[in-house]
Amino acid sequence: MISVDDALKTILAGVPVLGTEKVHIIDTLGRVIAEDVISGRNIPPFDNSAMDGYALKAADTTGASPEKPATLKVVADLPAGYTLDRELQAGEAVRIMTGAPVPPGADSVVRVEDTEKRGETVRILVQVKSGKDTRRKGEDVKVGDVVIEKGTRITPAAVGMMSSVGRSMVQVYQRPRVAVLATGDEVVDVDQEAGPGKIYNSNGYTIASQVREAGGLPVMLGIAKDTREDLEAKLKAGLTCDVIISSGGVSVGDFDFVKDVLSSLGSEMKFWKVGMRPGKPLAFGVIGGKPAFGLPGNPVSSMVTFEQFVRPALRKMMGYAALQRPTVNAVLEDDVKKEPSLRFFVRGVVSRVDGKYRVSTTGPQGSGILRSMVIANGLIVLPEGTEGAKAGDTVRVQLFNREFEEE
Ligand code: AMP
Ligand code: MG
């Protein structure tokens, strides 16, 4: 038996980082950036007005008030997108729109609400501080600043940032194409008739969705019968992909051929009993340079081993700096017993009460109870060397999402 940590270490060491591709920013949302995006521009590129109003010299408004306004001569009208080559003199104002460059000689803007237009002049009703309502050149970004860091997931704001520094094409990591194979004579596809003794293929669809959630591109290989020939034929079809995942057939049953076939295809398959529950049996190897995972057949075991091993591996391939789910400390609401030799991953429902995380278990933890994964929003991680945890204990929880915090 090997530990979860050692299994993950071995897997990550055997997994390559994929190449990069140049993509237009409109297609980068959710991708991982493969370069530090460095700005060649100041943002804003010039001092500009934060308000519709009048650009002026603050000194011209000293002591101004509604009762004693300062009267200035309006010498120009400056919409956004244009510049003024004339230098503003004492006693002058320029009508200015939001985003227009502050004209030379002006140091501030007074908003239109604090003024009264009188023909060719404007009355300023307030005393203006120097710099008021202007946005300074480079106050957001300076030339040479890293605006997006390599290895991070591109968000809408990041796309906006790249556009604002004038980048239309950027390098992102390629997404792995991931072959997904279900196995078992009892397993039939969802559109087929599930006759006596048969069950629907849930793992194939679950794994494909986990792949997609992680950012990869699933390729469905269907369902292999429990024969060497069919397994070999279907797994071979997966060799055109970057990663191969099968489910089932890795335990010690009479028809568990996945081990044999993976071994015959690959030079360095490793088969482990990993010290965890759920999800003990696991195969990992590299076939023709491509990582191959044999996940257990039980639906929850398959999901949990994907979470612990395949997801971090896919994220490494995609260039992510962070490979693991976020974890939080939460107060446990139930007693949980475990075997000391194993690391337990207990399906949990996390909530936040008075600013503190709490977590309850989803109830029975059988590795076939997929509904518990539907309800769960995290996995309570109970480490090796303990006999469990009690209600009131603080435990680590891997979060699948933070939707429970949404309002
Ligand atoms: P195995 O590891 O092949 O012995 O499978 C363990 C358990 O998982 C058995 O009850 C299988 O019927 C079930 N199982 C295997 N593959 C799938 C699948 N694709 N979808 C749903 N259940 C499965
Ligand atoms: Mg099977």
Side-chain angles (χ1 to χ4, degrees), residues 223-283:
I223 304 158
K225 292 269 170 221
D226 284 320
T227 64
R228 279 195 177 76
E229 295 69 34
D230 200 30
L231 273 169
E232 192 163 330
K234 296 236 162 63
L235 280 171
K236 268 189 176 157
L239 292 177
T240 56
C241 292
D242 301 303
V243 181
I244 298 154
I245 304 176
S246 67
S247 81
V250 285
S251 48
V252 287
D254 287 345
F255 299 100
D256 290 336
F257 295 129
V258 169
K259 288 177 172 183
D260 295 353
V261 174
L262 282 174
S263 284
S264 72
L265 289 176
S267 44
E268 26 171 343
M269 286 305 295
K270 296 179 182 3
F271 298 92
W272 296 315
K273 283 197 183 323
V274 182
M276 65 189 281
R277 185 173 298 161
K280 238 187 202 164
L282 181 73

Side-chain angles (χ1 to χ4, degrees), residues 199-217:
I199 58 168
Y200 286 122
N201 172 20
S202 66
N203 291 352
Y205 291 98
T206 313
I207 293 168
S209 305
Q210 288 182 293
V211 166
R212 204 167 265 169
E213 191 197 28
L217 302 167

Side-chain angles (χ1 to χ4, degrees), residues 10 18 22 124 162-163 272 299 301 356-357 361 363 399 406:
T10 307
L18 295 179
K22 210 162 204 176
I124 313 296
M162 293 188 286
S163 352
W272 296 315
S301 308
K356 278 206 147 187
Y357 292 109
T361 71
L399 292 181
E406 290 173 3

Side-chain angles (χ1 to χ4, degrees), residues 1-2 74 105 107 140 173 176 213 216 256 260-261 265 273 280-281 320 346 376 378 385-386 389:
M1 195 163 77
I2 92 167
V74 181
D107 57 25
D140 182 3
Y173 286 101
E213 191 197 28
D256 290 336
D260 295 353
V261 174
L265 289 176
K273 283 197 183 323
K280 238 187 202 164
Y320 272 101
V346 179
T386 65

